[in-house]
Amino acid sequence: MRTELREPVALRPGVLRIVPLGGLGEIGRNMTVFEIDGKLLIVDAGVLFPETEQPGVDLILPDFAPIRDRLDDVLGVVLTHGHEDHIGAVPYLLRLRRDIPLLGSGLTLALVEAKLQEHRIKPYTLTVKEGQKEHLGPFDLEFVAVNHSIPDALAVAIRTSAGTVLHTGDFKMDQLPLDGRLTDLRAFARLGEEGVDLFLCDSTNADVPGFTALERSIGPVLDDVIARAPRRVIVASFSSHVHRVQQVLDAAAAHGRKVAFIGRSMVRNMGIAADLGYLRVPDGVVVDAKKAANLPDRDVLYMSTGSQGEPMAVLSRMANLEHSIEVGQGDTVILASSLIPGNENAVYRVINGLTKLGATVVHKGNAKVHVSGHAAAGELMYCYNILKPRGAMPVHGEVRHLVANAKIATDTGVPADRVVIADNGTVIDLVEGEARVVGQLDLGFVYVDGSSVGEITDADLKDRRTMAEEGFISIFVALDVQTGRVIVGPEIQARGFAEDQRVFDTVRPQIIAALSEASRGGTADLHGYSQVVRRTVGRWVNTQHRRRPMIVPVVVSA
């Protein structure tokens, strides 16, 4: 919830300050900073994936501005689990200070280390597990097992002299998890008995009634679809969804299919999961893509990335006939994942493209091939009742999710004045066990575009959208600056506006006349003449064509 910008009050000794740098009002960029007595602790550092109105952007990072000058005070980064929206920004944070300690479970740190290797960063890590306690300066940490759509997820209890905070990370309460690892409600109850002053709770499914379905409930559906598929099967999922891949491997093995992992992140992550024992690979089932290409179609299953319609991911390239695997009549494609808000159009575009090629596309809209990794309202209510926190601050979700989570908190007895619905940059102080909003920082999106980080602005993205939607017109004019007389031009080039150059015949005389009139009116510099050209062409385009292309005048002296 957007609050008025105001500088936070000075932090007093013994007070715990909490500043979310991302993850509130959005699905992604999860990152929260805790500060007490001059020392900082960070929980998660994730990325947000761009939407269609952010063309050319690869990733979106949290805004590190509030901590950029205080990195020496950071005692560590706790990573709750290995999803990109929680670990994806770690390489960019460690570029600023390479020796920040990373704390996380075995799988989480293995995924982070593989990512950091691509950035040529060797991190300092501390592997932790559920039940373990660690002391970092003024922060006493205790790690609690939680169940999620990736193995080895952890919640973290943060004890300080100002009070105790419990951060769930992402979680659900699957009662029959594939790996047998339950969300540790006994630990939640024990923490509740000790007293939790502020509960930072996953909000993603807070507006979904009831309980999230079991992960294993989709196994029979996957098995049935794979059994009936007449030719090749292509399953798309998140590259870190080990439990989902496990069920696909089991179904493929049961029906005599070989599995090939497709997509760099899928190959890397599943290799790590298998090496660490989190993914059980049936003997002889996994083959490389080259070998799979030479097998009979009926004996092959490809496990790929691209379930969110990402333009460069495997599935999108297949739909656009830009991949070596050519989807055709009789192939079956399974999208075994959720739709991240904002990706709907891209996903449906891929579904339509694959269907047009003759494939049968199975997705959560027509079959139960996905269950969420996040707790629904019934599970959250159960947690609040077990924990009985004194205060709550919903995290990880869009505004509607945060508000729904806040209502669950008040319904279960948390006083309304102790429920904080914050925004990215909201500054919250925990004083004597009570959370108070004391300021609001102005934080923005930090765009990763190729090798550049933070150099692209919203204005740049607006220009890109204009060029994509309205086109581009460039006008070159060489003139006598003193008289405004045109010597060369106007030469007009356009892209995405009009194929026939004759369309500009009517505006050229208008440009010449406008420049002459500007000279008589006192204009005697190139910038002034450029503005005259821009206004003249802009007025003509708007009047004659009802368009607003990007207009770039180039005026030189001759």
Side-chain angles (χ1 to χ4, degrees):
M1 305 287 282
R2 175 62 64 182
T3 54
E4 184 180 346
L5 292 176
R6 58 189 173 101
E7 193 69 24
V9 299
L11 182 59
R12 293 184 285 118
V15 174
L16 177 64
R17 175 157 289 178
I18 304 163
V19 184
L21 301 187
L24 302 189
E26 59 196 1
I27 304 293
R29 293 203 310 158
N30 297 286
M31 183 173 183
T32 307
V33 178
F34 298 83
E35 178 182 1
I36 189 168
D37 296 336
K39 298 300 179 183
L40 307 179
L41 176 74
I42 298 171
V43 174
D44 290 329
V47 296
L48 178 68
F49 293 103
E51 299 182 4
T52 53
E53 63 266 24
Q54 294 154 334
V57 172
D58 299 315
L59 299 169
I60 306 172
L61 305 180
D63 191 341
F64 298 149
I67 62 170
R68 188 178 292 272
D69 296 330
R70 301 197 52 200
L71 294 173
D72 289 340
D73 296 328
V74 178
L75 300 179
V77 179
V78 173
L79 301 171
T80 59
H81 64 282
H83 280 151
E84 286 292 310
D85 59 335
H86 291 258
I87 67 170
V90 170
Y92 302 94
L93 180 62
L94 263 57
R95 284 185 187 181
L96 304 178
R97 181 190 150 198
R98 292 185 171 232
D99 64 344
I100 298 176
L102 306 178
L103 291 79
S105 65
L107 179 61
T108 301
L109 291 181
L111 294 173
V112 172
E113 286 169 346
K115 181 179 291 293
L116 288 169
Q117 191 172 10
E118 297 177 0
H119 291 258
R120 299 180 181 178
I121 297 174
K122 185 172 178 56
Y124 173 75
T125 61
L126 175 62
T127 302
V128 296
K129 59 183 180 179
E130 56 265 30
Q132 186 169 334
K133 296 181 179 180
E134 291 294 335
H135 181 76
L136 294 182
F139 303 99
D140 286 324
L141 310 179
E142 179 178 349
F143 297 92
V144 180
V146 291
N147 178 259
H148 187 39
S149 56
I150 187 172
D152 247 9
L154 294 168
V156 58
I158 304 169
R159 296 183 177 92
T160 70
S161 59
T164 298
V165 176
L166 177 61
H167 193 311
T168 65
D170 290 1
F171 84 108
K172 62 177 177 178
M173 289 165 51
D174 192 326
Q175 297 303 295
L176 295 171
L178 291 175
D179 59 0
R181 191 170 178 274
L182 295 159
T183 292
D184 192 350
L185 296 179
R186 290 178 298 179
F188 275 43
R190 176 176 50 79
L191 290 167
E193 288 294 322
E194 294 177 14
V196 171
D197 297 295
L198 192 62
F199 186 34
L200 274 61
C201 181
D202 179 6
S203 304
T204 311
N205 277 352
D207 60 346
V208 177
F211 286 68
T212 299
L214 306 178
E215 172 67 28
R216 67 174 62 238
S217 67
I218 70 170
V221 181
L222 290 172
D223 186 88
D224 180 62
V225 173
I226 292 169
R228 290 187 292 106
R231 292 187 67 221
R232 295 174 300 183
V233 176
I234 300 161
V235 183
S237 182
F238 296 117
S239 63
S240 56
H241 203 328
V242 178
H243 297 321
R244 192 66 44 81
V245 174
Q246 183 68 66
Q247 297 197 85
V248 172
L249 286 177
D250 293 342
H255 298 289
R257 288 183 183 265
K258 303 294 185 182
V259 177
F261 295 126
I262 306 295
R264 187 166 58 94
S265 60
M266 180 68 73
V267 172
R268 180 192 65 199
N269 291 349
M270 291 308 113
I272 291 170
D275 290 344
L276 295 177
Y278 293 99
L279 183 69
R280 301 181 307 278
V281 181
D283 290 340
V285 167
V286 173
V287 298
D288 64 37
K290 289 182 179 178
K291 184 174 180 180
N294 295 320
L295 293 173
D297 289 346
R298 184 67 180 78
D299 297 338
V300 177
L301 185 148
Y302 293 105
M303 188 78 222
S304 83
T305 57
S307 61
Q308 297 304 305
E310 306 97 312
M312 296 308 294
V314 170
L315 205 62
S316 291
R317 286 158 54 206
M318 289 181 184
N320 294 328
L321 295 176
E322 296 172 351
H323 196 274
S324 58
I325 300 171
E326 296 183 0
V327 175
Q329 196 72 35
D331 288 336
T332 300
V333 180
I334 304 172
L335 273 66
S337 63
S338 63
L339 269 176
I340 294 176
N343 291 348
E344 294 89 350
N345 289 340
V347 172
Y348 290 128
R349 188 159 48 244
V350 170
I351 290 174
N352 287 329
L354 293 168
T355 303
K356 189 174 181 179
L357 294 173
T360 298
V361 183
V362 180
H363 54 88
K364 65 175 291 186
N366 57 24
K368 190 174 182 180
V369 291
H370 173 74
V371 296
S372 177
H374 301 270
E379 293 155 273
L380 296 181
M381 190 170 291
Y382 203 86
C383 279
Y384 276 105
N385 283 329
I386 288 175
L387 197 63
K388 291 295 181 186
R390 299 188 183 99
M393 178 178 143
V395 295
H396 196 292
E398 298 179 347
V399 173
R400 59 195 170 95
H401 305 131
L402 305 180
V403 171
N405 194 342
K407 185 176 187 307
I408 294 170
T410 56
D411 286 347
T412 53
V414 181
D417 61 353
R418 292 202 170 196
V419 177
V420 178
I421 302 179
D423 196 359
N424 295 330
T426 301
V427 182
I428 303 101
D429 282 357
L430 190 65
V431 183
E432 297 177 352
E434 184 175 347
R436 306 168 184 169
V437 175
V438 298
Q440 177 67 46
L441 305 178
D442 185 15
L443 301 183
F445 285 160
V446 177
Y447 299 109
V448 178
D449 183 7
S451 61
S452 74
V453 178
E455 297 175 15
I456 299 299
T457 66
D458 288 329
D460 295 322
L461 293 182
K462 182 179 179 182
D463 286 346
R464 290 180 181 182
R465 290 194 299 271
T466 299
M467 285 190 284
E469 296 166 7
E470 300 286 352
F472 170 92
I473 299 176
S474 172
I475 309 98
F476 174 80
V477 178
L479 51 68
D480 183 326
V481 175
Q482 300 303 318
T483 65
R485 183 173 65 87
V486 173
I487 298 172
V488 178
E491 296 177 1
I492 302 176
Q493 299 293 327
R495 292 291 183 273
F497 179 78
E499 293 291 334
D500 191 345
Q501 286 291 311
R502 289 176 297 181
V503 74
F504 299 111
D505 289 347
T506 58
V507 75
R508 287 189 177 92
Q510 296 178 33
I511 296 171
I512 294 170
L515 290 171
S516 178
E517 183 179 345
S519 174
R520 291 194 296 273
T523 300
D525 64 277
L526 294 177
H527 175 72
Y529 285 124
S530 293
Q531 293 301 100
V532 169
V533 174
R534 186 192 306 276
R535 286 194 299 269
T536 303
V537 175
R539 190 162 49 244
W540 170 80
V541 170
N542 187 37
T543 302
Q544 299 297 319
H545 298 275
R546 297 292 187 265
R547 299 276 295 277
R548 294 181 179 274
M550 175 176 286
I551 299 171
V552 180
V554 179
V555 179
V556 299
S557 176

